[in-house]
């Protein structure tokens, strides 16, 4: 069945002890792998293939399955994809349900995989992947953050220094799948407040912040986007196509595939979910939307 896009309003919690948040995420977009639901775009021109940042709020609906790809670029061969994905047994060595930047062997053979796992399907996770292959130190070329903290890594096969990666090239890119749109790769879950920054490797604090109660909350990104950068907030549900609208003023709007805009709203996510996440040398408590 078709899954409504732009369906879930995200409401930030407030308490008597904390001031009201200045920035709120209004809506998320729900993806269902059975519908082959995803967003796609092919950049008209190549831009900075060495340095970029992806930031988004992610809520999972499935654990350990095949529908785990969050953002990807495709070079014409499945073995040369580069994608941000949750790990399953066929993706990479590493813990199932860890988060990774991954390119299979035969491509750039990149595998940056978190030690910790993200298995709470009731929680929103803020995920940031920052890439800068110009860095002399390999460990500085890719950094993955969850709710403001850099993860500990189970696997670290970094790109070569000054490597040009598939992302930001003139090839298909996708949110919620590999660009082929095969249901076996499509994401099961929700995405919200997705920013892609072309030409800068940024910190999670550019997109979110800690409040007075030590909760990790989104904030408005105030920087520039670069040529192929985009901001998808999924706020316009006036038509199916409007769900892919780029709000960065770059007009890098995505094509909507098998997502349906509806005027109705599903149950709001209210309150801060406290999540136990195993990783970073032990078990820690982190906050999600």
């Amino acid at each position: 069945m078709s899954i409504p896009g732009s369906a879930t309003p995200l409401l930030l919690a407030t308490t008597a002890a904390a001031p009201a948040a200045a920035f709120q995420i209004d809506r998320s977009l729900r993806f269902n792998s059975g519908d082959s639901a995803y967003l796609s775009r092919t950049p008209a021109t190549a831009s900075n293939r060495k340095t970029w940042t992806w930031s988004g709020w992610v809520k999972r609906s499935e654990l350990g399955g095949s529908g785990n790809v969050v953002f990807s670029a495709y070079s014409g061969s499945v073995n040369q994809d580069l994608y941000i994905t949750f790990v399953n047994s066929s993706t990479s060595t590493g813990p199932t349900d860890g988060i990774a930047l991954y390119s299979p062997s035969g491509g750039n053979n990149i595998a940056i995989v978190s030690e910790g796992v993200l298995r709470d399907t009731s929680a929103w996770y803020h995920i940031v992947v920052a890439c800068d292959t110009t860095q002399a130190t390999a460990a500085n070329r890719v950094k993955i953050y969850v709710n403001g903290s850099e993860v500990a890594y189970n696997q670290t096969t970094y790109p070569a220094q000054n490597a040009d990666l598939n992302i930001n090239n003139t090839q298909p890119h996708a949110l919620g799948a590999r660009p082929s749109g095969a249901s076996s790769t499509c994401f099961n879950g929700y995405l919200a407040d997705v920013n892609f920054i072309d030409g800068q490797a940024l910190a999670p604090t550019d997109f979110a912040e800690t409040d007075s109660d030590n909760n990790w909350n989104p904030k408005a990104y105030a920087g520039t986007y670069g040529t192929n950068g985009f901001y998808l907030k999924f706020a316009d549900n006036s038509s199916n196509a409007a769900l892919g609208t780029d709000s960065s003023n770059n007009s890098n709007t995505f094509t909507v595939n098998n997502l349906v805009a509806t005027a109705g709203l599903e149950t709001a996510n209210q309150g801060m979910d406290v999540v136990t996440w195993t990783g970073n040398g032990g078990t820690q408590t982190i906050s999600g939307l």
Side-chain angles (χ1 to χ4, degrees):
M1 84 182 172
S2 296
I3 296 296
S6 195
T8 307
L10 304 181
L11 306 181
L12 297 181
T14 58
T15 67
F23 176 77
Q24 295 188 3
I25 297 175
D26 295 319
R27 295 184 184 276
S28 66
L29 191 60
R30 183 182 177 188
F31 296 79
N32 180 40
S33 62
D35 294 332
S36 296
Y38 66 105
L39 304 178
S40 58
R41 177 179 177 269
T42 300
T45 59
S47 190
N48 196 324
R49 296 172 59 192
K50 297 176 174 67
T51 308
W52 48 265
T53 304
W54 188 95
S55 167
W57 292 84
V58 182
K59 184 179 180 182
R60 307 185 68 192
S61 298
E62 178 187 41
L63 301 179
S66 59
N68 291 306
V69 177
V70 177
F71 179 60
S72 63
Y74 181 66
S75 66
S77 168
V78 70
N79 286 333
Q80 295 185 26
D81 285 1
L82 179 63
Y83 41 91
I84 299 169
T85 184
F86 291 101
V87 174
N88 61 27
S89 59
S90 65
T91 303
S92 170
T93 58
T96 299
D97 298 317
I99 185 71
L101 179 68
Y102 182 70
S103 181
S105 59
N108 288 309
N109 196 21
I110 297 166
I112 316 299
V113 184
S114 72
E115 176 185 289
V117 296
L118 289 75
R119 291 177 175 159
D120 192 327
T121 55
S122 69
W124 284 91
Y125 296 100
H126 181 222
I127 295 172
V128 174
V129 178
C131 182
D132 183 0
T133 69
T134 69
Q135 294 293 318
T137 301
N140 292 332
R141 293 174 199 157
V142 177
K143 294 182 179 290
I144 300 176
Y145 304 89
V146 175
N147 288 11
S149 298
E150 186 176 5
V151 303
Y153 300 102
N154 174 272
Q155 185 176 356
T156 52
T157 303
Y158 291 101
Q161 187 176 13
N162 294 315
D164 283 323
L165 305 181
N166 293 336
I167 286 174
N168 258 338
N169 201 2
T170 53
Q171 60 197 52
H173 290 56
L175 277 171
R178 292 179 184 173
S180 63
S183 61
S184 61
T185 72
C186 290
F187 178 56
N188 275 310
Y190 300 77
L191 296 178
D193 204 57
V194 174
N195 286 277
F196 179 76
I197 314 303
D198 175 359
Q200 300 177 72
L202 300 177
T205 49
D206 286 289
F207 310 98
E209 60 192 352
T210 302
D211 67 17
S212 58
D213 287 332
N214 205 35
N215 294 315
W216 187 247
N217 291 327
K219 73 176 185 182
Y221 172 65
T224 58
Y225 282 88
T227 301
N228 287 328
F230 55 83
Y231 174 34
L232 302 182
K233 58 183 182 179
F234 313 124
D236 186 349
N237 63 349
S238 60
S239 67
N240 296 348
L243 297 174
T245 300
D246 174 23
S247 297
S248 73
N249 296 320
N250 275 350
S251 298
N252 290 330
T253 292
F254 276 65
T255 298
V256 176
N257 302 277
N258 303 315
L259 289 147
V260 178
T262 65
L265 299 178
E266 294 183 348
T267 303
N269 244 329
Q270 301 186 48
M272 302 298 294
D273 300 319
V274 178
V275 184
T276 299
W277 184 50
T278 302
N280 285 348
T283 298
Q284 62 175 341
T285 298
I286 57 179
S287 296
L289 274 178

